[in-house]
Amino acid sequence: MVAGKKILLGITGSIAAYKTPFIVRELVKAGAEVKVVMTSASLDFVSKLTLSTLSKQTVHDQLFKEGAWANHVELGRWADLLLIAPLSCTTLSKMSSGLCDNLLMSIYFSATCPIIVAPAMDEDMWIHPVTKDNMNRIREHGCKVIQVKHGELASGLIGEGRMAEPGEIFSELQGFFARSQQLSGKKVLITAGPTQESIDPVRFISNHSSGKMGYAIAEEMAGRGAVVTLVTGPVSLRCYHKGIQLVKVKTAEEMFEACMSSSADYDVAVMAAAVADYTPLVTSEQKIKKEGPEMSVKLKKTSDILNSLGRIKSKHQRLIGFALETNNENQNAIKKLKDKNADMMVLNSLNNEGAGFGGDTNQVRLFFKSGQQKDIELKPKTEIAKDIVDAINELL
Ligand code: CTP
């Protein structure tokens, strides 16, 4: 929990900054050590004196003062957690684009600790496509996000964009520290992304998987202290957590080999990859030339990784599969759960808008061996990953 933790609170220019003394007070009362860094825009909304009194620490707001340099690296290294609350649209854009023009941004770009942000904006700013892109980018960079709330906004309008209340932010931080060691000592094997099956040196068979769901689960697992091996097909994503070992593969066969070599070693395996079910019987060494009005490629079945792991799984191991379906979704997911001897199946239905391949959101249904089911509503894949990992943790 937060007691004994060192928390660096970054405050940016938003009306919600007036709530930050309550965050500081709650954290200090619970036994955390809190240091505050303010952007110049935030100084108009809340006083340094209030924050230094409540935190019992000097409040920092400048990179240089009277010829002296504020050691941003030291502040970033000191913290167990950097909380940026409220996160304004301007600071979000700096975080997303790499604009390092104040003390808080210098700390952000050099911080080695986890980072949680609590955005606060008017609804029109919050739903703007650029804001959405920026939020997705900082999520991909490893920032955890405390969701904005619906309610009255500074403009007087009612909508999405309110910063979470200080009590909610405090609970999120408590939860974060409680979870951070939840999976320590556990070894996790995850597959993600598509595979590519070559027809010739130029063409391949693949699918639309972006790998986002698998990568989000890998980040979440590592964030909870697990040692993660992520076997990934070709995707354009990056891993940010140091606890993730990346194994890059191209074909279903390579993914199979990589997983089988860890088959005795994992506590949890999450098969989120969209593995090709068939691969060309032969791959032409030369580019196939265009001839005649039709052509066909003979395919052979690939090895089913989930199924193979299910057959040799030992008692302590937990196996999680994904089922991407377009029809008879529930029946198909339950059948896969049983046939592949998995402990949990995550159903993605392509019929749900905002769910499935490519996008940043998902909506899933979890099926358990016990016969239980759990629905997880439409939300960012990083948030879905939390729910999936919570469910896996219960299985352990
Ligand atoms: N899977 C796997 N190896 C394969 C094919 C699938 O490990 N060669 C895994 C996927 O990673 C996923 C689960 O099996 O966790 C279900 O994949 P899916 O493609 O939905 O099902 P299939 O068993 O391939 O059946 P179908 O394509 O007929 O629906």
Side-chain angles (χ1 to χ4, degrees):
M1 302 293 195
V2 299
K5 299 293 181 199
K6 295 176 180 141
I7 297 168
L8 193 56
L9 170 63
I11 305 177
T12 74
S14 152
I15 180 64
Y18 85 88
K19 295 179 182 173
T20 54
F22 297 98
I23 303 176
V24 174
R25 197 183 58 176
E26 292 247 352
L27 289 170
V28 170
K29 243 171 54 187
E33 203 180 330
V34 182
K35 289 188 183 180
V36 176
V37 177
M38 300 178 74
T39 64
S40 54
S42 74
L43 296 168
D44 289 330
F45 294 100
V46 60
S47 100
K48 268 170 89 173
L49 185 60
T50 308
L51 291 158
S52 64
T53 308
L54 290 169
S55 66
K56 304 181 184 80
Q57 305 263 6
T58 306
V59 171
H60 307 269
D61 66 337
Q62 284 177 33
L63 202 44
F64 306 99
K65 209 170 194 179
E66 287 145 18
W69 175 62
N71 193 338
H72 58 86
V73 176
E74 201 177 281
L75 276 168
R77 293 255 158 119
W78 167 85
D80 294 315
L81 174 78
L82 169 60
L83 167 69
I84 304 184
L87 171 65
S88 67
C89 199
T90 308
T91 296
L92 168 64
S93 136
K94 291 180 188 180
M95 288 163 68
S96 161
S97 63
L99 180 57
C100 185
D101 67 347
N102 62 27
L103 177 61
L104 180 59
M105 286 302 91
S106 311
I107 292 169
Y108 172 72
F109 287 112
S110 58
T112 50
C113 61
I115 297 163
I116 298 185
V117 300
M121 276 164 233
D122 249 311
E123 188 177 52
D124 293 329
M125 293 164 91
W126 176 246
I127 62 175
H128 195 284
V130 173
T131 306
K132 288 198 163 172
D133 286 349
N134 286 339
M135 285 303 300
N136 287 334
R137 281 199 81 183
I138 68 159
R139 274 198 177 95
E140 281 169 23
H141 297 162
C143 289
K144 308 225 175 302
V145 179
I146 301 178
Q147 291 292 92
V148 295
K149 305 290 163 191
H150 188 272
E152 196 179 333
L153 303 165
S155 57
L157 298 171
I158 307 281
E160 288 270 299
R162 272 174 75 93
M163 185 177 82
E165 291 302 320
E168 290 167 315
I169 293 177
F170 177 77
S171 304
E172 288 277 349
L173 264 51
Q174 290 275 47
F176 168 79
F177 284 115
R179 283 193 303 270
S180 65
Q181 290 309 311
Q182 199 178 54
L183 296 175
S184 98
K186 298 286 180 210
K187 290 184 184 159
V188 179
L189 173 67
I190 301 177
T191 63
T195 61
Q196 290 179 353
E197 313 298 324
S198 291
I199 297 170
D200 68 13
V202 182
R203 294 97 170 189
F204 56 78
I205 299 170
S206 191
N207 56 65
H208 297 297
S209 170
S210 63
K212 285 180 184 168
M213 199 61 250
Y215 273 63
I217 293 172
E219 293 283 348
E220 186 61 33
M221 289 278 203
R224 298 194 195 192
V227 176
V228 177
T229 302
L230 176 59
V231 182
T232 173
V235 293
S236 56
L237 301 173
R238 284 174 56 194
C239 269
Y240 292 89
H241 201 288
K242 291 190 292 258
I244 302 175
Q245 190 210 344
L246 206 62
V247 180
K248 292 187 179 178
V249 297
K250 252 192 180 165
T251 65
E253 197 51 39
E254 287 168 9
M255 192 171 270
F256 176 79
E257 293 299 332
C259 290
M260 294 319 278
S261 70
S262 301
S263 63
D265 210 29
Y266 71 84
D267 299 296
V268 180
V270 183
M271 302 288 103
V275 190
D277 289 330
Y278 291 89
T279 189
L281 194 60
V282 280
T283 301
S284 170
E285 280 184 20
Q286 306 300 332
K287 184 182 170 200
I288 300 170
K289 300 303 282 180
K290 178 170 60 189
E291 278 167 12
E294 286 173 11
M295 82 162 283
S296 54
V297 178
K298 240 195 175 152
L299 305 175
K300 63 178 178 194
K301 230 184 193 161
T302 57
S303 312
D304 190 314
I305 308 165
L306 179 61
N307 197 39
S308 307
L309 291 178
R311 277 191 283 113
I312 55 169
K313 166 176 93 152
S314 60
K315 259 194 171 162
H316 82 279
Q317 294 181 315
R318 296 288 173 270
L319 189 54
I320 321 302
F322 274 68
L324 179 75
E325 306 294 340
T326 56
N327 56 308
N328 296 329
E329 292 101 325
N330 292 345
Q331 294 93 313
N332 286 333
I334 293 167
K335 187 172 184 315
K336 283 177 190 175
L337 177 77
K338 287 189 181 141
D339 290 352
K340 303 195 186 203
N341 194 25
D343 298 283
M344 182 175 112
M345 208 72 188
V346 182
L347 169 65
N348 274 306
S349 170
L350 276 193
N351 296 321
N352 292 331
E353 206 178 310
F357 283 143
D360 293 310
T361 56
N362 207 358
Q363 174 182 356
V364 299
R365 178 169 288 166
L366 309 182
F367 292 86
F368 300 90
K369 232 179 171 174
S370 59
Q372 281 179 308
Q373 295 181 18
K374 188 177 181 198
D375 283 336
I376 302 176
E377 80 268 23
L378 185 72
K379 48 186 165 177
K381 284 182 174 169
T382 47
E383 296 296 315
I384 297 269
K386 266 193 203 169
D387 291 306
I388 291 176
V389 177
D390 282 344
I392 294 172
N393 186 51
E394 279 182 31
L395 290 177
L396 288 166

